[in-house]
Amino acid sequence: MTEFGNYLIPCVIGLILIFGFFRKVPLFDTFLEGAKEGAKSTFGIIPALVGLITAVSMLKASGALDLFTAFIAPLAEKIGLPPQVVPLMLLRPVSGSGSLALVDQIFSSSGVDSFVGRVAAVMMGSTETTFYAIAVYFGSVNVRKTRHTIPSALTADFTSVVIAVLTVRLLFGGV
């Protein structure tokens, strides 16, 4: 199976080149045009990404994440969410790499097979880096007004968090 995978991409590229050749498509010109569009998209989303990365860094460095976590923890415990995963719930919509670092800390302190570790793992798999995705996708097409996108996406993230706790309790038993 590994050998098949090694040849799959070159075969697909070869088929595209053969198909383009027989259809008389100017392959190199088409490739350059696509590369130009890709570069334009990349440069178009850079300001949004820089702003997002700056905001995440400021949130962590200022201690605002810890303060907000302490504020939300009692409410989270009422819905059955372990307090150790509250920072993950808050950071996941903003930063994928930051939330991955938090999951690593949770695994180190609580264990991978603990209730907390399992909830964190399910949360990582079922939630989205909402603000990153919006910055990239909306920024690439210059959409400035997100309208209902952010509230809808954050509602979906919160629902995923609640369902993660319920799923882990149902499948593995809870604390």
Side-chain angles (χ1 to χ4, degrees):
M1 189 67 175
T2 305
E3 290 180 26
F4 176 73
N6 291 338
Y7 297 110
L8 184 64
I9 292 178
C11 287
V12 169
I13 291 172
L15 285 173
I16 291 170
L17 292 174
I18 291 169
F19 185 74
F21 179 74
F22 282 116
R23 297 282 307 238
K24 298 190 188 320
V25 173
L27 296 171
F28 190 69
D29 294 337
T30 305
F31 170 77
L32 289 179
E33 188 178 315
K36 283 180 192 174
E37 286 180 28
K40 265 202 259 183
S41 294
T42 300
F43 289 118
I45 64 173
I46 284 177
L49 291 179
V50 168
L52 186 62
I53 291 167
T54 303
V56 169
S57 299
M58 289 173 58
L59 188 66
K60 287 168 141 180
S62 69
L65 182 64
D66 296 331
L67 186 66
F68 202 56
T69 297
F71 179 73
I72 292 212
L75 179 65
E77 284 186 79
K78 288 188 191 285
I79 64 169
L81 185 66
Q84 298 93 323
V85 296
V86 172
L88 177 63
M89 178 185 77
L90 297 174
L91 193 59
R92 178 69 175 149
V94 181
S95 170
S97 59
S99 57
L100 191 59
L102 283 175
V103 167
D104 187 46
Q105 289 175 357
I106 290 169
F107 287 167
S108 296
S109 64
S110 300
V112 178
D113 287 331
S114 67
F115 178 72
V116 174
R118 288 177 173 156
V119 169
V122 174
M123 282 174 58
M124 278 298 285
S126 61
T127 57
E128 178 61 75
T129 53
T130 301
F131 292 106
Y132 174 80
I134 289 171
V136 169
Y137 296 127
F138 281 51
S140 68
V141 292
N142 294 322
V143 173
R144 298 286 176 231
K145 295 182 181 177
T146 59
R147 202 175 157 135
H148 302 297
T149 305
I150 292 175
S152 300
L154 291 177
T155 301
D157 282 338
F158 181 74
T159 303
S160 295
V161 168
V162 172
I163 296 297
V165 173
L166 294 174
T167 302
V168 171
R169 280 188 200 273
L170 179 69
L171 295 177
F172 299 103
V175 218

